[in-house]
Amino acid sequence: MSKTKDLPLPVGKYAKLDNGLTLHYLDIGDGPVVVWLHGSGPGASGFSNFKGNYPAFDNAGFRNIVLDLPGFGRSDKPADVNYDLAFFVENLKLLLDNIGIKTCTLLGNSLGGAIALGYTLDHPTRVDNLILMAPGGVEERETYFEMEGIKRMVEVYGQGPMGVEQMRQVMTLQLFDSSQLQDSILEERAAVAVTQPANLFSTMLVPNMTERLHEIKCPILGFWGTNDLFNPVSGTFKILENAPHARFTLLNRCGHWVQVEHQQLFNRQCLNFLLDAE
């Protein structure tokens, strides 16, 4: 954790898992549990992805576990592991076991959405609801690497340590309206990015889970921006065609970060969904 002590991110709680890794998470509020799973971009953290969302869930009576995935934020970043889907799913289970959460709602965007799907497929009785924002895991790897946003991210990341301006080159593609991109988010993510190991992105592998989506029986609420440059919006229909209890909101003039670009709509629809499910 020494590398992360000076990061411009709030300090929450740390959990030492049975496999030796230490993960950081914010634990906000009381009530039914919502676990927040962020995406995979360089410098990502739970706080930078969801700072405009989880306070509304807290106010509505939910307990929010805002996780920094291994390799991200203030969590451990081992340089000797494969950051594949199984690794993330295993660590999510170990964390929830560690802090005594038996069932919860999983909320994830991009990589976090893929982890939510993978965890639900492996542990179906432990997930009450799924909230997904442009989740990964419903295309082949080659499809993602044809997307403009992924190409830009790989190109810029490959040039060396990412400062604020290099981060801006990638992050402007996250949003349809990049004027919403706050300098504070760029600074937070640039500070984290220099602490991340090279193997984080070189070993990241998420399988295409489309053919297994019919196994998911819990309610799914999904969001996708039609101007997403990272994950193709056609994934919406793969989930709707295969998961029996899914519904999606498609938003035009919206990129990869629905929860940022349409914050109030996202918060409102999620809370209505969760309160109706209780």
Side-chain angles (χ1 to χ4, degrees), residues 4-76:
T4 65
K5 65 179 181 179
D6 297 325
L7 292 176
L9 299 170
V11 179
K13 297 180 179 180
Y14 290 92
K16 181 71 173 290
L17 307 186
D18 289 347
N19 62 5
L21 289 185
T22 296
L23 299 188
H24 172 263
Y25 62 99
L26 304 177
D27 190 343
I28 311 292
D30 296 293
V33 177
V34 179
V35 177
W36 299 71
L37 303 169
H38 62 78
S40 70
S45 68
F47 178 72
S48 70
N49 266 35
F50 302 125
K51 65 174 75 175
N53 309 114
Y54 68 79
F57 287 61
D58 175 22
N59 291 336
F62 291 91
R63 179 184 177 192
N64 301 276
I65 305 297
V66 186
L67 177 61
D68 288 342
L69 294 169
F72 296 88
R74 293 186 178 274
S75 290
D76 280 354

Side-chain angles (χ1 to χ4, degrees), residues 20 50 77 82 121 123 172 184 198 208 228:
F50 302 125
K77 303 174 179 67
N82 288 328
L121 289 168
H123 309 286
T172 52
S184 60
N208 186 343
D228 194 323

Side-chain angles (χ1 to χ4, degrees), residues 12-261:
K13 297 180 179 180
Y14 290 92
K16 181 71 173 290
L17 307 186
D18 289 347
N19 62 5
L21 289 185
T22 296
L23 299 188
H24 172 263
Y25 62 99
L26 304 177
D27 190 343
I28 311 292
D30 296 293
V33 177
V34 179
V35 177
W36 299 71
L37 303 169
H38 62 78
S40 70
S45 68
F47 178 72
S48 70
N49 266 35
F50 302 125
K51 65 174 75 175
N53 309 114
Y54 68 79
F57 287 61
D58 175 22
N59 291 336
F62 291 91
R63 179 184 177 192
N64 301 276
I65 305 297
V66 186
L67 177 61
D68 288 342
L69 294 169
F72 296 88
R74 293 186 178 274
S75 290
D76 280 354
K77 303 174 179 67
D80 58 350
V81 301
N82 288 328
Y83 287 90
D84 54 20
L85 183 67
F87 171 77
F88 288 115
V89 168
E90 175 196 10
N91 279 280
L92 176 58
K93 181 180 183 298
L94 291 174
L95 173 76
L96 297 181
D97 288 346
N98 182 283
I99 60 180
I101 293 176
K102 293 183 171 59
T103 65
C104 62
T105 291
L106 292 180
L107 183 157
N109 77 289
S110 202
L111 171 67
I115 296 168
L117 289 170
Y119 183 89
T120 305
L121 289 168
D122 285 356
H123 309 286
T125 62
R126 298 188 62 168
V127 180
D128 299 320
N129 308 282
L130 281 174
I131 298 175
L132 306 171
M133 300 92 85
V138 294
E139 305 284 354
E140 299 301 326
R141 181 180 173 89
E142 294 74 20
T143 300
Y144 293 117
F145 278 83
E146 292 171 358
M147 299 295 291
E148 181 182 353
I150 301 291
K151 287 180 179 178
R152 173 80 62 85
M153 185 173 72
V154 171
E155 175 190 351
V156 175
Y157 188 75
Q159 294 171 358
M162 295 178 69
V164 170
E165 289 312 308
Q166 289 79 17
M167 191 64 67
R168 191 187 307 277
Q169 292 178 39
V170 175
M171 297 296 293
T172 52
L173 296 183
Q174 291 263 46
L175 305 173
F176 177 81
D177 177 7
S178 62
S179 69
Q180 297 187 49
L181 191 58
Q182 301 173 355
D183 284 349
S184 60
I185 290 181
L186 297 174
E187 291 162 3
E188 290 161 10
R189 291 178 70 109
V192 172
V194 297
T195 72
Q196 294 179 297
N199 64 314
L200 173 58
F201 297 105
S202 65
T203 64
M204 194 172 287
L205 184 63
V206 175
N208 186 343
M209 294 174 277
T210 302
E211 293 185 356
R212 293 194 60 196
L213 294 177
H214 69 276
E215 300 173 30
I216 297 177
K217 306 305 181 188
C218 70
I220 299 173
L221 176 65
F223 299 84
W224 220 303
T226 61
N227 307 101
D228 194 323
L229 299 177
F230 287 80
N231 287 4
V233 67
S234 55
T236 299
F237 303 100
K238 293 188 176 186
I239 298 174
L240 290 174
E241 290 166 5
N242 289 280
H245 304 292
R247 68 177 189 259
F248 264 75
T249 294
L250 284 178
L251 293 159
N252 66 327
R253 301 177 65 81
C254 179
H256 193 50
W257 259 10
V258 172
Q259 78 276 14
V260 172
E261 291 200 81

